[in-house]
């Protein structure tokens, strides 16, 4: 049922996935195979080239994506950094197999070629490459499978592809969504592996049968190569074709952000002539902030308390109006960003425990919970562990003394871990739909530690100047969403597995102000 429901998007994401892999493989083949050939002619470079490509292979993919965010041209968010990273990962098997394949050619055959008067160039293309073609294709085969797998992580920086389903499924603890991304990715990888495996065997068989490839075989390979080049060129052209009057809306990496990003996108599409690209699931606060500041996305929804403490590095403040005005002024002055009017709800950090524990221990507030903290295992998000308004300040304010170090994990996994008693305390969001479903309890912030977290659209000012109609359209959303409505939408996506687009469209219909 899920595959039927998401079938059009699965096709779209599969296409995006294929585009990422095809472009990355085309670039890596054009670099890796010539490099492999070069080091067979310049053996002194072999250690350096193979060592460097091996070192790149050991770097975690998320680390590469994180590093690329601030790198000009090939970095930022979207498809470019994803393609760049995939290209790097594909190089090692291509370089190594080309090097091994050519060096593995029988020296007697080389000598025979030289005895026939062949130049080094003729020897390479008429003897060595044909005989090494099976090993080279094996390298392409390995590199392709690696690319298909790693391309799923590209969704973490807005690269699209089937990883969108996987990250979305993790964030809402939905195994079916994870499978909606994982199964097609597996099919693509297996299909590529089988197809290239067939070609590898065919080339090896031909090489074993005869030393010289006849004209018929060369023509057949040329035709296949030409078709592949045309297909890849078509994919590149389709992927980068210019779309007039198009802007990009982004979001962070959890359900509420997907909903709010879709709300902005649908509002813009229905009220203006602009087309909207969706670059959701960008990761945490800092990635989204960098993206809107650089203009790679036009806007996204931020929370005032997060902007104040995480981005502006200011002290927490409990006055909502003060925090909003401070963020608005500082964002305009420091970053050339416009903080629009608040959407109407406050999504504060929520320290959550199981209802059964709250009842057993008779606790309702964080002050009451502090004395039990040495017995608990906590699970916190990466941002919460690092931010000024995160765990360190909370522990100091309430006297929390966790004996075991907090486990760092993704938001969706935190809920699952708490429900399954792997952890006893998590830091999540007060509007999350999973809270009532999993019978969890939010501990009252009785000392008012957390600042207000009003949801506010943040837009790049240059883009607003280019499309002035955006400001009025977005400000129509001001004060439109209550905490109860936000929690309801989160619940519909998280627990009823309804598509984000459908939930947002239904919500908009209930608001005559938006018509």
């Amino acid at each position: 049922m899920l595959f039927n429901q998401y079938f059009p998007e699965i096709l779209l994401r599969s296409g995006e996935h294929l585009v990422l892999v095809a472009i990355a493989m085309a670039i890596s083949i054009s670099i890796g195979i010539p490099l492999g050939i070069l080091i067979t002619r310049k053996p002194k470079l072999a250690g350096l080239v193979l060592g460097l490509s091996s070192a790149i292979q050991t770097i975690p993919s998320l680390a590469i994506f994180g590093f690329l965010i601030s790198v000009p041209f090939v970095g930022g968010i979207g498809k470019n950094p994803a393609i760049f990273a995939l290209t790097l990962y594909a190089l090692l098997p291509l370089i190594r197999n080309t090097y091994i394949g050519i060096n593995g050619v029988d020296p007697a055959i080389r000598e025979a070629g030289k005895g026939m008067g062949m130049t080094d160039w003729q020897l390479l293309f008429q003897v060595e490459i044909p005989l090494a073609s099976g090993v080279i294709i094996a390298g392409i085969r390995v590199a392709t499978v690696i690319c298909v797998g790693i391309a799923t992580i590209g969704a973490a920086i807005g690269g699209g592809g089937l990883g969108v389903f996987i990250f979305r499924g993790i964030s809402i603890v939905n195994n079916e969504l994870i499978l909606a991304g994982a199964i097609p990715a597996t099919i693509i990888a297996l299909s590529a592996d089988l197809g290239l495996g067939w070609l590898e065997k065919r080339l090896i068989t031909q090489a074993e049968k005869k030393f010289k490839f006849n004209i018929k075989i060369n023509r057949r390979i040329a035709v296949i190569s030409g078709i592949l080049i045309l297909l890849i060129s078509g994919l590149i052209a389709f992927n980068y074709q210019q779309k007039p009057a198009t802007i990009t809306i982004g979001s962070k990496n959890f359900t509420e952000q997907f909903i709010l990003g879709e709300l902005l996108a649908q509002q813009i599409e229905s009220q203006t002539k602009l087309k909207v690209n969706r670059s959701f699931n960008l990761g945490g606060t800092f990635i989204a902030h960098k993206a809107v500041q650089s203009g790679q996305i036009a806007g996204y929804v931020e929370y005032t308390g997060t902007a104040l403490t995480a981005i502006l590095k200011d002290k927490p403040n409990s006055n909502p109006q003060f925090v909003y005005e401070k963020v608005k002024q500082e964002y305009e002055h420091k970053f050339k960003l416009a903080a629009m009017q608040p959407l109407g709800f406050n999504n504060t950090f929520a320290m959550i425990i199981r209802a059964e524990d709250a009842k057993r221990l008779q606790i309702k507030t964080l002050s009451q919970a502090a004395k039990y903290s040495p017995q608990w295992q906590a699970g916190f998000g990466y941002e919460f562990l690092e931010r000024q308004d995160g765990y360190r300040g909370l522990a100091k304010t309430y006297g929390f003394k966790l004996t075991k170090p907090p486990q760092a994990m993704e938001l969706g996994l935190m809920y699952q871990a708490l429900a399954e008693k792997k952890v006893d305390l998590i830091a999540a969001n007060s509007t999350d739909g999973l809270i009532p479903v999993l019978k969890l309890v939010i501990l009252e912030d009785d000392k008012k530690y957390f600042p207000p977290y009003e949801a506010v659209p943040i837009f790049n000012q240059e883009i607003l100047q280019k499309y002035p109609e955006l400001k009025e359209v977005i400000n129509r959303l001001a004060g439109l969403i209550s905490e109860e409505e936000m929690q309801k939408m989160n619940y519909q996506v998280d627990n009823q597995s309804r598509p984000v687009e459908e939930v947002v469209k239904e919500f908009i219909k209930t608001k005559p102000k938006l018509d």
Side-chain angles (χ1 to χ4, degrees), residues 475-494:
N475 277 334
R476 288 179 194 167
L477 298 171
L480 209 66
I481 311 173
S482 67
E483 289 185 32
E484 292 75 18
E485 287 172 322
M486 192 69 249
Q487 194 170 50
K488 180 183 177 182
M489 286 192 280
N490 285 332
Y491 172 80
Q492 289 172 331
V493 175
D494 284 341

Side-chain angles (χ1 to χ4, degrees), residues 3 6-20 79 159-165 168 180 184 188 235 238-239 241 243 262 276-278 501:
F3 279 85
Y6 284 97
F7 186 70
E9 190 179 358
I10 289 173
L11 285 179
L12 172 66
R13 299 302 181 189
S14 297
E16 290 177 345
H17 210 89
L18 286 168
V19 166
L20 289 175
K79 292 182 174 59
L162 291 163
V164 170
F165 285 110
R168 194 187 302 171
I188 291 171
L235 284 170
F238 176 77
N239 187 53
Q241 63 181 335
K243 297 178 181 178
E262 183 62 28
V276 178
N277 288 331
R278 288 142 171 91
E501 299 84 356

Side-chain angles (χ1 to χ4, degrees), residues 27 29 31 37 56 58 156 167 170 227-228 269 292 297 329 382 410 426 431:
I27 297 170
I29 287 171
I31 296 171
I37 293 170
I56 291 170
T58 65
F167 280 98
I170 290 172
I227 292 171
L228 286 173
E269 287 176 331
V292 73
I297 62 174
Q329 292 171 15
Y382 300 98
E410 292 291 334
I426 63 171
T431 55

Side-chain angles (χ1 to χ4, degrees), residues 433-455:
L434 287 172
I435 295 171
V437 174
L438 297 177
K439 297 180 180 179
L440 306 176
V441 169
I442 298 175
L443 295 170
E444 181 189 344
D445 180 16
D446 51 307
K447 293 185 179 180
K448 307 298 180 188
Y449 165 70
F450 292 116
Y453 295 92
E454 294 183 296

Side-chain angles (χ1 to χ4, degrees), residues 268-426:
I268 293 167
E269 287 176 331
S270 66
Q271 302 293 321
T272 73
K273 294 181 180 179
L274 296 170
K275 299 292 183 184
V276 178
N277 288 331
R278 288 142 171 91
S279 189
F280 298 166
N281 199 56
L282 289 177
T285 297
F286 302 102
I287 295 177
H289 176 72
K290 282 274 188 184
V292 73
Q293 188 181 359
S294 64
Q296 292 178 311
I297 62 174
Y300 78 107
V301 175
E302 188 53 272
Y303 305 95
T304 53
T306 302
L308 180 73
T309 57
I311 302 298
L312 298 176
K313 307 295 183 185
D314 210 336
K315 294 179 180 179
N317 188 293
S318 60
N319 186 319
Q321 189 60 33
F322 172 83
V323 173
Y324 170 68
E325 291 297 336
K326 176 81 171 177
V327 168
K328 185 177 180 180
Q329 292 171 15
E330 291 292 318
Y331 265 50
E332 183 175 1
H333 176 67
K334 289 185 176 180
F335 310 123
K336 305 299 181 187
L337 298 175
M340 305 294 206
Q341 296 179 37
L343 297 176
F345 70 94
N346 179 42
N347 182 7
T348 186
F349 270 121
M351 305 305 297
I352 299 172
I353 62 175
R354 291 179 289 272
E356 60 187 83
D357 290 342
K359 184 178 180 180
R360 177 172 55 85
L361 299 172
Q362 294 293 301
I363 53 177
K364 295 181 180 179
T365 68
L366 285 170
S367 294
Q368 293 171 336
K371 65 179 180 180
Y372 298 102
S373 60
Q375 307 167 22
W376 288 345
Q377 172 67 69
F380 298 147
Y382 300 98
E383 275 194 33
F384 188 74
L385 287 169
E386 297 296 329
R387 281 168 47 165
Q388 187 174 340
D389 59 340
Y391 172 64
R392 286 192 292 270
L394 178 80
K396 185 177 179 181
T397 301
Y398 285 100
F400 269 67
K401 297 178 181 178
L402 296 171
T403 305
K404 301 176 184 177
Q407 292 285 335
M409 57 181 68
E410 292 291 334
L411 180 62
L413 297 178
M414 281 195 285
Y415 280 113
Q416 187 175 354
L418 183 61
E420 294 177 0
K421 300 186 177 181
K422 304 294 184 184
V423 297
D424 307 295
L425 172 74
I426 63 171

